[in-house]
Amino acid sequence: VTSMDLRSSLTDLGYVVCAVATTGEMAVKYVGELHPDLILMDIMLAGKMTGIEAAEIIRTKCRTPVIYLTAYSDDSFLARAKITEPFGYILKPFRELELKTNIEMALYKYKMENALRVSEETTRVLLNAIVDIVFLVDTQGRFLAVNSALAKQAGKKVSELIGSNVSELVSLGILSSKMAGWNVNPTQVIPRHFEEEFNGKWFDVTLCPVRNPRNDIVLYAVYVRNITSHKKHEEQSRQNEEYFRSLVED
């Protein structure tokens, strides 16, 4: 009766109900086959699997947004439900306006999260497509993002560097203190560019501060390019010029 009433309300609101599942197992099966945009999930279902267990499987497999629609408001249920990262929690008896508001907010939130995941993946691909070292650090010197070039230089995985402090790579001689941004004024809002000789090699370094909407610097984007061969060519050209100048003078 509840599902029939809910289907009627959703249809009146302009949504399409692709399936109704009475068990958690059936819900998981339908999601895999029909790929719905949203799931309204009761916590207590027929069968062995609860709605929370079904929602966790669905979140792991396909991340379809879930709104809990239930009569249970105990803290224990809420604590278990929060682990599955639901997009809403509506208590019965529900009102159509409340249902519509929660659905629209959940769909919008999912759309924004999906766009953010695509943006993060695009950033990761771009970072790893660059042969030069690129990384992001917060104002405390913790790595927020690094590319595979730096990870390879450090002999570690990218995941191992995330969250660690840039000082570790400075102490290992992989980055200089200037590359780590230790000499950057925290109030400096414009990018800083310099060349540095480090460990017998020359590097072109750019540090760009990133600000939040309140104009506070929250992290630094650092780009390090090895220009040793370029410097060698410059030095060779300089020596050639001096040689020919001395010939002319002689």
Side-chain angles (χ1 to χ4, degrees):
V1 172
T2 301
S3 65
M4 290 174 62
D5 181 41
L6 184 58
R7 179 195 286 268
S8 177
S9 297
L10 292 170
T11 303
D12 291 342
L13 291 171
Y15 302 110
V16 176
V17 179
C18 60
V20 175
T22 56
T23 67
E25 294 84 354
M26 191 182 297
V28 173
K29 178 176 179 290
Y30 281 158
V31 170
E33 294 174 353
L34 302 174
H35 308 291
D37 296 319
L38 183 75
I39 301 165
L40 295 177
M41 181 78 75
D42 203 333
I43 289 180
M44 301 307 295
L45 301 171
K48 297 180 179 180
M49 187 183 296
T50 66
I52 293 176
E53 292 169 339
E56 177 61 24
I57 294 173
I58 291 168
R59 183 179 72 90
T60 303
K61 286 186 174 181
C62 55
R63 299 194 64 84
T64 305
V66 173
I67 294 177
Y68 286 112
L69 184 63
T70 179
Y72 293 89
S73 59
D74 295 347
D75 289 341
S76 60
F77 282 106
L78 287 171
R80 289 167 55 200
K82 281 193 294 186
I83 297 174
T84 63
E85 300 178 8
F87 282 70
Y89 199 100
I90 305 175
L91 292 176
K92 299 176 185 176
F94 62 88
R95 295 175 300 163
E96 283 195 356
L97 180 59
E98 181 185 12
L99 184 63
K100 181 177 177 62
T101 301
N102 274 269
I103 289 175
E104 291 302 316
M105 289 297 294
L107 290 174
Y108 178 77
K109 180 183 176 183
Y110 178 72
K111 180 181 177 181
M112 292 298 101
E113 286 190 359
N114 194 51
L116 179 60
R117 283 195 294 270
V118 171
S119 176
E120 290 175 345
E121 178 62 14
T122 301
T123 301
R124 186 191 68 80
V125 171
L126 289 174
L127 285 176
N128 292 328
I130 300 173
V131 296
D132 303 312
I133 291 174
V134 182
F135 59 91
L136 301 177
V137 289
D138 63 15
T139 53
Q140 304 302 314
R142 291 185 295 262
F143 285 116
L144 303 176
V146 302
N147 69 342
S148 55
L150 178 58
K152 183 179 179 180
Q153 192 89 347
K156 296 185 177 183
K157 297 179 180 178
V158 169
S159 57
E160 292 175 332
L161 289 176
I162 302 300
S164 66
N165 200 287
V166 69
S167 60
E168 295 179 21
L169 298 191
V170 173
S171 62
L172 292 173
I174 296 170
L175 296 173
S176 72
S177 58
K178 290 177 67 177
M179 293 175 188
W182 288 355
N183 64 330
V184 175
N185 188 329
T187 61
Q188 179 180 335
V189 295
I190 60 174
R192 185 167 182 269
H193 178 262
F194 60 90
E195 291 183 357
E196 180 185 18
E197 186 178 13
F198 178 64
N199 286 343
K201 299 178 181 178
W202 277 94
F203 296 93
D204 181 273
V205 183
T206 302
L207 292 96
C208 298
V210 179
R211 293 173 286 177
N212 63 14
R214 293 181 300 181
N215 217 33
D216 303 319
I217 296 176
V218 291
L219 59 97
Y220 292 94
V222 184
Y223 175 74
V224 181
R225 182 166 63 96
N226 189 328
I227 58 170
T228 304
S229 60
H230 176 68
K231 281 291 186 180
K232 286 181 178 179
H233 290 149
E234 281 187 348
E235 178 61 21
Q236 187 63 51
S237 298
R238 187 188 64 79
Q239 292 178 2
N240 290 340
E241 287 177 5
E242 289 184 357
Y243 175 72
F244 286 115
R245 186 182 301 111
S246 65
L247 286 179
V248 173
E249 290 175 354
D250 290 344

